[in-house]
Amino acid sequence: MPEKRFSASAIAGTFFLAAAVCAFSVPTFAVGIDTPMQLALSEIKKEELPKAAEPAKPGAEQKPAGETQTQPSSPEKPDATPEQPAQAPAATDDDGAAAQSNNPAMPNAKEGAATPQVEYDVAKLPFPVQKMRELILTAAKSGSIEALRPLIGSGDDVTMLSLTDIDGDPLAYLKSLAGDPDGHEILAILVDVLESGYVHLDAGTADELYVWPYFFAYPLDKLDAKQKVELFQIVTAGDYDEMKQFGTYVFYRLGITPKGRWRFFVTGD
């Protein structure tokens, strides 16, 4: 019996000794197999410390770790006021240019436009237009420029005799345009103009007119040989060459409204 107790205690002591040896030998063995040793807290760099997770904002969608959270793009706000259509610039009257562009007595032959219908038959004219034409022709053939006075009218209905304002007596102004002191040249031009072909313009509008001669609205580069002869009954070949620089007829023209009002008798551009 004493021998067995000795053997048991010896065995127990051996076991505890072996356990102690193993406890101290494990870290050393771990170092030998390249396993990193645990560092003291003071040896850990600050940037290596794990960052505390920020508390999630209410309503914010949580994303798994390592996944970038993108902010939803906010819709573009509409303009405070809707875009207004571009306004056309206000009409100006620089030296009368804008006013003349709306002047019914300005040459009406537009580049690229279709050639108008030329008429010679005065029977196709409305009766008021026929009557006014006859009255002007009769006055012009009388040889007295004063015969035109009742036909020219006065006030707002006065016949336009110039592209610009005129001062004084309108008949005196007409005489000043003639090459003779009595204005016979102007009367002769009136006859030539009213005995030429005419055009009917802007039918059915407030600007509707019957105009003599038809060259007023006819492109000069489209005149045929017969029409050029008719043109030279009113102007000279030199006048024609000058007009070609403008591209349109700019000599005397006469307009009458459908109601028989003598609207204008002017020259120039």
Side-chain angles (χ1 to χ4, degrees), residues 28-267:
T28 305
F29 180 76
V31 172
I33 61 174
D34 296 331
T35 301
M37 296 178 63
Q38 185 175 0
L39 301 177
L41 184 61
S42 61
E43 295 177 338
I44 300 175
K45 296 180 181 180
K46 291 182 179 180
E47 54 265 33
E48 294 175 347
L49 291 173
K51 296 182 180 180
E54 295 181 358
K57 296 180 179 180
E61 181 181 358
Q62 298 297 322
K63 295 287 184 179
E67 184 175 344
T68 304
Q69 184 170 354
T70 59
Q71 296 294 332
S73 58
S74 58
E76 296 183 359
K77 295 181 179 180
D79 293 335
T81 55
E83 183 179 357
Q84 299 296 327
Q87 298 293 328
T92 59
D93 192 4
D94 296 333
D95 298 328
Q100 289 191 13
S101 64
N102 297 322
N103 192 327
M106 292 297 293
N108 197 265
K110 298 178 177 61
E111 184 178 355
T115 55
Q117 177 67 38
V118 179
E119 298 287 352
Y120 295 90
D121 187 359
V122 295
K124 293 182 178 180
L125 296 169
F127 178 76
V129 180
Q130 291 186 44
K131 187 63 177 178
M132 177 55 73
R133 175 183 175 273
E134 292 174 2
L135 291 172
I136 297 172
L137 275 174
T138 300
K141 291 180 179 181
S142 72
S144 172
I145 202 167
E146 279 294 327
L148 296 175
R149 191 175 295 280
L151 306 177
I152 289 175
S154 60
D156 293 337
D157 290 333
V158 67
T159 301
M160 182 190 305
L161 300 176
S162 173
L163 294 175
T164 58
D165 294 335
I166 60 175
D167 297 326
D169 181 50
L171 294 181
Y173 172 76
L174 283 180
K175 283 185 179 181
S176 70
L177 300 177
D180 66 284
D182 297 320
H184 292 155
E185 183 182 31
I186 293 298
L187 297 178
I189 292 172
L190 266 174
V191 173
D192 288 339
V193 165
L194 284 174
E195 289 184 345
S196 67
Y198 64 91
V199 286
H200 181 197
L201 303 178
D202 300 318
T205 72
D207 297 323
E208 184 175 2
L209 282 172
Y210 293 86
V211 183
W212 290 259
Y214 66 87
F215 310 112
F216 172 80
Y218 207 100
L220 292 181
D221 59 352
K222 295 183 179 181
L223 295 175
D224 59 25
K226 176 179 175 294
Q227 291 171 323
K228 286 182 180 179
V229 172
E230 294 173 352
L231 176 64
F232 291 150
Q233 290 180 276
I234 301 173
V235 303
T236 66
D239 294 331
Y240 172 64
D241 288 337
E242 291 181 3
M243 288 179 192
K244 286 192 292 185
Q245 298 178 10
F246 293 97
T248 187
Y249 174 90
V250 293
F251 196 55
Y252 282 96
R253 56 268 191 188
L254 183 150
I256 302 175
T257 69
K259 294 183 178 181
R261 176 191 168 196
W262 184 4
R263 185 74 181 275
F264 60 79
F265 176 61
V266 299
T267 186

